[in-house]
Amino acid sequence: MLPEQDEEVDLENGLARLTEQVSREHERAAHREQIIDRLHAENQDLRRGLLQEALTPVRSGLYRLYDTVTREAARREGADPVVPLLEAIAEEVAEVLARTGAERLEVSPGDPYDPALHRPLRTEPGEDGRIVAVVSDGFRLAEQDRVLRKAGVVIGRNVQQSEEND
């Protein structure tokens, strides 16, 4: 073999080793990027969880305020000039809750009872298994579609069926 050919072979081998080494380093860098991205996502999830946990007592107080004002507005229903003010306060409290991620559950009389969304307070005569009245609104965490507080409801019970079973 000629010295020129030896140099070419050495150069090709060196180039092949260098290409292989660069390829391995590229794979390692890509793997590190994946780990960094995963850790960042886990960190963000943890922060969101801590924030939601920190908001729990604040929401609890706002739920009580919302219920109190709503109940008082309903109790004074009629020509009492305070009712619009109470309703406006309740709406503002609901708005503050929404800014924390807690949205009101849409619950209406006539809806079917769902134990995942509704907290039964009592039963009254009405269509069996249907909501007769909503006593307190429920709230859910919209971004996670998780119920934060179930709606307090009155559930209908068919009186004729109950009497026939007795």
Side-chain angles (χ1 to χ4, degrees):
M1 208 189 261
L2 296 171
E4 296 168 354
Q5 289 176 334
D6 282 344
E7 285 179 21
E8 271 185 41
V9 169
D10 285 344
L11 190 58
E12 286 178 15
N13 287 341
L15 190 55
R17 282 193 306 270
L18 186 59
T19 302
E20 185 179 309
Q21 188 176 1
V22 167
S23 177
R24 279 195 309 265
E25 288 302 317
H26 180 69
E27 288 174 12
R28 286 184 189 141
H31 182 68
R32 279 192 299 273
E33 285 294 320
Q34 288 175 342
I35 290 171
I36 289 169
D37 289 346
R38 183 177 50 86
L39 289 173
H40 179 71
E42 287 175 4
N43 188 18
Q44 292 299 88
D45 290 344
L46 181 61
R47 284 182 178 196
R48 274 191 292 277
L50 289 173
L51 176 61
Q52 292 307 320
E53 189 176 317
L55 287 173
T56 298
V58 173
R59 285 186 187 128
S60 182
L62 289 171
Y63 296 148
R64 284 192 305 276
L65 178 60
Y66 178 82
D67 289 344
T68 301
V69 173
T70 304
R71 219 178 3 256
E72 189 61 24
R75 190 179 72 77
R76 293 173 176 249
E77 194 64 43
D80 194 333
V82 175
V83 172
L85 175 63
L86 292 171
E87 289 171 343
I89 292 170
E91 205 50 46
E92 184 62 29
V93 172
E95 195 58 37
V96 171
L97 281 164
R99 281 186 243 137
T100 72
E103 294 180 351
R104 277 185 277 195
L105 290 172
E106 298 294 326
V107 181
S108 304
D111 290 351
Y113 168 70
D114 181 350
L117 302 174
H118 309 128
R119 182 173 35 99
L121 301 176
R122 64 183 181 274
T123 60
E124 289 182 1
E127 189 177 349
D128 211 31
R130 295 282 179 172
I131 294 173
V132 175
V134 179
V135 177
S136 61
D137 287 334
F139 292 86
R140 69 182 180 94
L141 191 58
E143 65 186 35
Q144 297 176 3
D145 199 28
R146 181 177 61 127
V147 175
L148 295 170
R149 184 178 89 152
K150 295 178 179 182
V153 297
V154 177
I155 302 171
R157 190 182 81 208
N158 191 331
V159 178
Q160 291 174 342
Q161 266 186 346
S162 297
E163 290 173 358
E164 291 172 4
N165 291 336
D166 289 341

